[in-house]
Structure formats: C-alpha cells, structure tokens
Amino acid sequence: MQRSVSIKDVANLAEVAVGTVSNVLNNPDRVSNRTKEKVLRAIDELGFVRNDAARQLRAGHSRTIGVVVLDVGNPFFTAIARAAEDAAEAHGSAVLLGDSGQDSARESHYIDLFQEQAVQGLLISPVGNILDRIDNLRERGIPTVLVDRRADESRYSSVSVDDDAGGYLAARHLLDLGRRRLAFVGGPLHLAQVAERLAGARRAIDNTPGATLEVLDSGAQSVLAGRRIGDSLAARDKAGIPDGIFCANDLLALGVMQSITMMNGLAIPDDVALIGYDDIDFAASAVVPLSSIRQPTEAIGRSAIQLLMADLGNPGHKHQAITFTPELVIRRSTAGPAAPAEQHTEAPALSN
Amino acid sequence: MQRSVSIKDVANLAEVAVGTVSNVLNNPDRVSNRTKEKVLRAIDELGFVRNDAARQLRAGHSRTIGVVVLDVGNPFFTAIARAAEDAAEAHGSAVLLGDSGQDSARESHYIDLFQEQAVQGLLISPVGNILDRIDNLRERGIPTVLVDRRADESRYSSVSVDDDAGGYLAARHLLDLGRRRLAFVGGPLHLAQVAERLAGARRAIDNTPGATLEVLDSGAQSVLAGRRIGDSLAARDKAGIPDGIFCANDLLALGVMQSITMMNGLAIPDDVALIGYDDIDFAASAVVPLSSIRQPTEAIGRSAIQLLMADLGNPGHKHQAITFTPELVIRRSTAGPAAPAEQHTEAPALSN
DNA sequence: TTCAATCTTTGAAACGATTCATTGTTACGT
DNA sequence: ACGTAACAATGAATCGTTTCAAAGATTGAA
C-alpha cells in the first residue's frame, strides 16, 4: 500500500501553498481563476482524494448522519431510512445505517460508533432507555432525533406516530366486526411501541362490555416469531382460539397467518379476524390480504431529517415532537366473509 | 457545544501519560492492572469516547467496513447485510450500510464517502461498471469484495450465485408444467443480475420447440413496478396473456400477483403460473404462496466478509470467486391446480 | 505618484489519537 | 549486593487537513 497523496503533494505540484489548495476545495470563490485551475489540474494529475479523517479532526464534524433502526429486516424501517436518505442528500449529507436488531447492546454499540465517527447528527428508533445518552450526545455537539418514539418535547426532538391511537383503531375495528375474544400478539412487551399499541387496544376493550383481551408475548417481531405464536394457537382446542387477533406489526401478522391457515382448518377472517400494523408493501399481497394500521413512512423520515437540520443550524433551539396519526386500512383479513374489499382513506394526517 | 473530552483529559485525571491511556485502549496487555484500572475509571468518569478521526489519521485505517447494497427495500439484500454484520462483528469490525437504490450516481457517491472515511474494506453489489474504481480502491489500500456479481477471479474477489442457472431453473420449471407462452419480467435489463437470469431462461426456451419468451422491462425491481406490469397484462385480451411468468425478483412477482389476482378473473396457477427469484420471507405468505429461486443469503454475507478479511490480512493474496448454486422452491403459484404442496430441497450447495 | 481599500496567497498552529525510542522500575539469579 | 533482563510508563513527533492572522499584490481615486 503506497503512501497516499496529500494536499501537500498537490501544493508542491501546483506551486502554491497548502492553504490555497484547501481553499480551492472549500472556499473556491476566494481563489483566483488562474490559481484554481492550476490546483485542479494538479489534483487531477495526482488522483488526490481528501483524507476525511484529517478534515474531520480539524473541522470537528463530518458530513454524515447516523441512522439506527430497530430492524432492517422490517420494511417499515427501511422505508423510513430511505426517505431520510433522500432528504439528507438534499442537504448535502450522507446517511449511514446501523441495525440494532432490537438489541440494546447493539444499539449502544452503534451509538458509540457514530459518536466516534463524529457524525453531524443521529436519527434513532430506540430499543433501550437512551434519553440520558442523548443528553450526553447533545452536550458533545451531536443532536439526535428520536424516530418512532415520542419524547418530552421540551428536551427532545422526536417524530412518531400515535401508537396508542393506532392500537385503539385496530382493536375497535375488530370489536366493530362483532369479535369479542381478542388476542394481542407482540413483544418484547417492554418495547414502547408494543406497550402503547397494547394500551390503545386495551382502552377499546375496556369500553366494550363482554370483550376480553389475551396478551401473547412473541418475544421478537419477525415472521418467524409470528409463526411460533400461530402454531401454539392452532394447537388449542377450538373454543380456546380467539376470534380476533391484533399483531403489533405486519411481520408478526404474516407469520401468524401462515401458520394458522396452513396448519389448521381455521379460516381468516371467518374463524379469526387478523389485523397487523405498519401496512408494509407485503401486507396487500398476503395469502389473505392483511388489514393493517398505516404509518406515513415517507413523512416520518423526511420530518426527522428536517428536525435534525433545524437543530444543527441552531443548537440552542426549541425542540419539537411531531406526531402523525395512523390510519386504518381494511382488507380481506378483517372483512365480512363475502366482502373482498380493499379500501382505505388517503392523505396522512399531521397533528401538532 | 463544549470541547469534547480528549485522551489528554483522561491522562490528567488518571495521572498517567497520554501514551499510557492509548495503550489501555489498544494494547491492554502492556499495561499493569493497577494503571489500567485507574485509567478505565477516569474514562468512565469523564465519559470519554475516542475520536475516530484522530485515530484514523494516525493509524491509517478504521475499524469499519462499508457495505453498499442495490436496494435496502429488498429483503434479499438486507438479509445479506445482516449476515455480513454478524460476521464482521465477530472480527471486531462494524458495518456501515449504504443504499445505492440501483442508481449508479448514488453508488459512486457512497464509494467516495467510504473511501474518504477510509473504511477497512468494501462489500458492494454493483449497479454500474465499477471494476476500474475497485482497482483504484485497492491501490489505495481498500480491498473490495463484489457481492451478487461474479468477476474475473484473477483480479477480483466476489461472492455470487449462478444467475444463469437460476434463470434456467425457473424457466425449465414453467416449461415442465406444460406452459409454452412465457414472459420474463425484470429491469432495468442492463443490470447484470437481470440480464443473466434472462439469459438462463432463454437457454431453457431455446431447448424447447414451440416455446416463446416475451420480455417485459419493468424498469425497476419493486412491488410497485410489478403491479404496473401486472396491470398492463391484465388489460390484454385473454389470448395475449402468457401462461407462465418468471419475475427477476420476488418483489416484482408479488406485485404482478397482486394486480393479476385482483383486477381480473385470472387465477394463479391455473391461468398463469408465476415464479419469482430470491425466496424472501414474504414469498411463502403471499396470496398464492410464491414459487421462487432461493439464494443462500446467510452464506453469501458470511463468505463475503471472509474473503474481505483474507484480503486484509494479506494484501497481495490470490483472489477468489465463490459461486453458490441456487435452488428451486416450488409452492402453489406453480403447482397443479389441486396440489397445495410446499416443497423444497435443503442444504445450499457450494461450488468452486 | 501615492494611499487606501480590496483581493489573493501564505504558512504556522491547531485538531486528538498513535507510535516508538527512552527512561524508569521490578525481580531474579549469582 | 550487583548486574541484567523483563516489564511499565513516558512524552515528543507525527498523521493531513482547516483556519486565520498577516503579508503581498492589485486596483482605482486623488
């Protein structure tokens, strides 16, 4: 490995000072055209690439934004990440993606990494309790925006969707269909998203005499975890099987659907109505098209970057907690036996 | 924004020299236990986080590996990325993920970024022709492994799956069902994966008298693009509709499936047999469970990191092109009308 | 021609970690 | 008690940029 070409080599070849080369790179308008040209020619000739480590060391920050998501395997999060990427690019920043996999050690690992790399800022959909960590990051000049988790807006910026309302919508919908023995599938239960969706569902149940809600902890939030829950349900005798199931995300719902429809004579929605959460692309093309609670991923990603940029431009500024409202998307998995309808309202609503 | 805590502050508090602090971090066995403890306590107390820019500047390299994937929205790639992440972690490196979104400008952008960040190495599933770029990176000490694209093994390391064989398998399977008017859906057609899968399919067709293959360029490789193609197919009169469709990936296939089964009286597999590619998790839970060509994502990600590590340990070493063999997974979308079978062979095969 | 104002260019001083030749300590065999 | 080897700790030099005060060049007005 050869020694790399430095700004000094360029300066030598172009017969100017190193500061001038730096200016050509960073403040082109301060340099005369003649000089600029000479320098650019030299850069080209030597194949010079700026050493970002050195630049960062001096400048104190990089041009990248770190994004830590809960689960890259979940299309909901990659959709957000993509939107963030596009928005960041428009601001001249690049996005680096880390996957915590719902593991708080891994999450912490990525935060360390991004801090070491001195990213401009951080977007994070948190697993563990990291509010203290965020305070600390801010003190060190790294503003952070919470994604998919609301936090006290006097101290933190966040972009979230009202999970309690979403949970309520889902359960209410099942109850409106006449279902009374409901089950909630999700986990780990201490995850804020899961807990709030459950709380919302419980609220709907409590309003409805005779309705019950069984909570099934799936441990994880994957298709596989859903399949495991589905298997355990299918093994029960008919009377013990709920007539409506609300899953904390679509992956779980698809897993439950797979095992319920395959292993057993159970029909969706006739025997069991099923609703998921997130409305990922695959929900519409499931064995039985899946009803779901839609969250505006594009808007989430974009707003998160906006909040971050606001923070960057003006460190002491007021934080903001943006909350979107989720909407119910009804498909066959919760439709009456005969109705194949695909229906939903458009236009995500923005509140606060 | 306050000045950040440096190694010097730690040294002061622990009452040792800066070199010692550095040693605690990088060569713990050269430091006595008593000192190590003092230093660690100081680090903890100050909340010190090493500035990676400075470290990199001096050390010449970082502890991160860049991964550029074609499409984070495709579970196939995120599965590979995850496997790579796990493998890298085992070697003490972290993975940073970039999404080229099948856009070669964006790809180039990420390569620049990772080069500036002086990553240890790069994994990339290329959009454009970047072999020259890779030579250049190698000269600068950044080894690169091509993922999901085979390259001349005398000059490049690569991990791929035999797309031509996969294409052949898929088309052969449709032909074996008695289908003759086939369509290939994929795009952009200049993407190597797409072109090779098409070539493989064509090979099968050419062996079969009376069989035809229509090529439908989908432009992109998403559920949406598939839905568009499906819509245009459904609009044809019955005679013009192919009786077998091979999609270059599962997202496209799911999109085609959605629009074909919804918009029109067409039944899968009776009227149209449908097969996808990649065997993502969602294929099994589709409206009609989707037949597909499975690629061993876990093995791909893991091997790619292995090749990279081999290159890192020994720069002048011989490159290797690993090629996996894809396998056919038959589900209902290509089964006889009555047969609901889910069947596939196990154990991914490794050749070369 | 001179002076001031403006525009360019210069080059040394950071930034914060790692490295490594030195110096200081300890332990042990004789 | 002495010499020596092994071990620990030191701190100045270094990596490649950016920054910025200062010097130098150019211009136009008087």
Side-chain angles (χ1 to χ4, degrees):
Chain A
M1 175 167 65
Q2 68 203 46
R3 199 181 67 76
S4 66
V5 180
S6 84
I7 212 176
K8 215 162 166 179
D9 302 316
V10 174
N12 277 131
L13 181 59
E15 299 178 298
V16 298
V18 293
T20 304
V21 177
S22 175
N23 276 333
V24 169
L25 260 31
N26 304 298
N27 309 86
D29 37 336
R30 274 193 218 158
V31 183
S32 74
N33 281 331
R34 249 165 48 79
T35 313
K36 207 182 317 190
E37 226 173 276
K38 262 196 311 186
V39 171
L40 288 176
R41 201 168 21 244
I43 285 180
D44 200 49
E45 191 165 325
L46 296 172
F48 167 79
V49 176
R50 173 219 267 102
N51 180 327
D52 199 50
R55 155 162 200 267
Q56 225 175 95
L57 176 55
R58 187 63 242 253
H61 65 98
S62 69
R63 293 224 130 275
T64 56
I65 293 170
V67 175
V68 183
V69 299
L70 266 181
D71 179 7
V72 281
N74 186 339
F76 170 68
F77 289 109
T78 56
I80 292 177
R82 286 189 129 183
E85 217 169 332
D86 289 338
E89 194 173 22
H91 286 271
S93 296
V95 159
L96 292 176
L97 193 56
D99 175 22
S100 70
Q102 307 206 354
D103 173 3
S104 90
R106 203 144 168 173
E107 168 175 69
S108 168
H109 205 245
Y110 266 109
I111 298 178
D112 287 347
L113 180 66
F114 285 137
Q115 184 174 0
E116 285 189 5
Q117 302 243 330
V119 294
Q120 289 179 282
L122 215 52
L123 262 47
I124 179 164
S125 52
V127 195
N129 179 358
I130 55 164
L131 293 183
D132 289 350
R133 192 71 204 275
I134 290 178
D135 288 334
N136 186 267
L137 285 168
R138 182 174 27 240
E139 277 168 24
R140 298 256 160 77
I142 302 183
T144 300
V145 175
L146 289 162
V147 174
D148 202 30
R149 163 85 126 262
R150 190 182 170 88
D152 173 8
E153 77 183 306
S154 68
R155 304 182 53 205
Y156 307 98
S157 292
S158 67
V159 179
S160 61
V161 182
D162 187 337
D163 282 319
D164 183 272
Y168 183 84
L169 267 183
R172 187 68 258 161
H173 176 55
L174 292 175
L175 292 167
D176 287 346
L177 294 172
R179 313 293 167 137
R180 284 297 175 271
R181 299 205 324 288
L182 305 191
F184 173 87
V185 178
L189 293 173
H190 61 80
L191 256 191
Q193 286 94 329
V194 177
E196 284 173 25
R197 287 166 201 182
L198 174 55
R202 182 109 51 188
R203 200 151 53 78
I205 301 287
D206 290 347
N207 287 343
T208 311
T212 60
L213 182 68
E214 176 184 6
V215 176
L216 301 170
D217 187 344
S218 59
Q221 306 240 64
S222 59
V223 174
L224 189 64
R227 220 178 295 165
R228 273 196 298 259
I229 295 283
D231 290 349
S232 76
L233 282 174
R236 299 183 178 181
D237 59 2
K238 205 107 186 186
I241 297 180
D243 58 7
I245 301 179
F246 167 34
C247 295
N249 79 12
D250 285 345
L251 300 184
L252 286 169
L254 291 174
V256 167
M257 182 185 293
Q258 264 178 49
S259 83
I260 276 190
T261 57
M262 287 200 160
M263 310 262 303
N264 203 306
L266 291 175
I268 295 177
D270 306 76
D271 299 321
V272 184
L274 181 65
I275 185 167
Y277 207 108
D278 291 345
D279 192 29
I280 62 177
D281 282 351
F282 303 101
S285 54
V287 179
V288 180
L290 181 70
S291 296
S292 194
I293 303 294
R294 173 178 299 171
Q295 311 198 69
T297 52
E298 220 279 321
I300 296 173
R302 193 161 17 87
S303 325
I305 292 291
Q306 268 162 16
L307 290 189
L308 189 63
M309 290 298 167
D311 213 329
L312 277 176
N314 170 14
H317 90 314
K318 250 192 103 225
H319 296 288
Q320 218 189 122
I322 295 180
T323 303
F324 290 95
T325 303
E327 52 170 331
L328 174 64
V329 179
I330 301 174
R331 297 204 182 84
R332 208 159 63 241
S333 73
T334 62
E342 148 109 358
Q343 159 207 339
H344 58 80
T345 52
E346 277 306 332
L350 166 58
S351 74
N352 189 339
Chain B
M1 174 170 64
Q2 68 200 48
R3 203 180 65 77
S4 66
V5 178
S6 84
I7 210 176
K8 212 161 166 182
D9 302 316
V10 174
N12 277 131
L13 181 59
E15 299 178 300
V16 298
V18 292
T20 304
V21 177
S22 175
N23 276 333
V24 170
L25 259 32
N26 304 296
N27 309 87
D29 37 334
R30 276 191 215 159
V31 183
S32 76
N33 281 331
R34 250 167 45 81
T35 312
K36 207 180 321 190
E37 226 174 276
K38 260 195 312 186
V39 171
L40 288 176
R41 196 164 28 240
I43 286 180
D44 201 49
E45 190 164 325
L46 296 173
F48 166 79
V49 175
R50 169 218 272 105
N51 178 328
D52 199 50
R55 157 160 199 265
Q56 226 175 92
L57 177 57
R58 186 67 242 257
H61 65 97
S62 73
R63 296 224 130 273
T64 55
I65 293 171
V67 175
V68 183
V69 300
L70 222 42
D71 178 8
V72 281
N74 186 339
F76 170 67
F77 289 110
T78 54
I80 291 178
R82 286 188 130 182
E85 216 168 333
D86 290 339
E89 193 172 21
H91 285 271
S93 297
V95 160
L96 293 176
L97 193 56
D99 174 21
S100 71
Q102 307 208 356
D103 173 3
S104 90
R106 204 146 168 171
E107 168 175 71
S108 170
H109 204 244
Y110 267 110
I111 298 178
D112 287 348
L113 179 66
F114 285 138
Q115 181 175 1
E116 285 189 0
Q117 302 240 327
V119 295
Q120 288 181 283
L122 217 51
L123 262 47
I124 178 166
S125 52
V127 195
N129 180 357
I130 53 162
L131 295 183
D132 289 351
R133 193 70 203 276
I134 291 178
D135 288 333
N136 185 267
L137 285 168
R138 182 171 30 239
E139 278 168 24
R140 296 257 159 72
I142 302 183
T144 299
V145 175
L146 289 161
V147 174
D148 201 31
R149 162 83 125 264
R150 189 181 171 88
D152 173 7
E153 78 183 303
S154 67
R155 306 182 52 205
Y156 306 100
S157 291
S158 67
V159 180
S160 60
V161 183
D162 187 337
D163 283 319
D164 183 273
Y168 182 86
L169 267 181
R172 186 69 257 160
H173 175 55
L174 292 174
L175 293 168
D176 286 347
L177 294 172
R179 313 294 167 136
R180 286 296 175 272
R181 298 201 329 284
L182 305 192
F184 173 86
V185 177
L189 294 172
H190 61 78
L191 257 191
Q193 286 95 328
V194 176
E196 283 172 27
R197 286 166 201 180
L198 174 55
R202 183 111 48 186
R203 200 151 53 78
I205 299 288
D206 291 347
N207 288 341
T208 311
T212 60
L213 182 68
E214 177 184 4
V215 176
L216 300 171
D217 187 343
S218 59
Q221 307 240 64
S222 59
V223 174
L224 189 64
R227 219 177 296 165
R228 274 196 298 259
I229 294 282
D231 289 349
S232 74
L233 282 174
R236 297 183 180 183
D237 58 0
K238 206 110 187 184
I241 298 180
D243 58 6
I245 301 179
F246 166 34
C247 294
N249 80 12
D250 285 346
L251 301 184
L252 286 169
L254 292 173
V256 167
M257 182 183 292
Q258 263 179 50
S259 83
I260 275 189
T261 57
M262 288 204 157
M263 311 262 305
N264 202 308
L266 291 175
I268 295 177
D270 305 78
D271 298 320
V272 184
L274 181 65
I275 185 167
Y277 208 107
D278 292 343
D279 193 28
I280 61 178
D281 281 351
F282 303 101
S285 55
V287 180
V288 182
L290 182 70
S291 296
S292 195
I293 303 294
R294 172 178 300 174
Q295 312 197 72
T297 51
E298 219 280 318
I300 295 172
R302 193 161 14 87
S303 321
I305 292 292
Q306 267 163 16
L307 290 190
L308 190 63
M309 291 298 168
D311 212 330
L312 277 175
N314 169 15
H317 90 312
K318 250 190 103 225
H319 295 289
Q320 222 189 119
I322 296 179
T323 303
F324 291 94
T325 303
E327 51 169 333
L328 176 63
V329 179
I330 300 174
R331 297 203 183 84
R332 208 156 67 239
S333 74
T334 62
E342 150 109 357
Q343 157 207 337
H344 58 81
T345 51
E346 277 306 333
L350 168 57
S351 74
N352 189 338

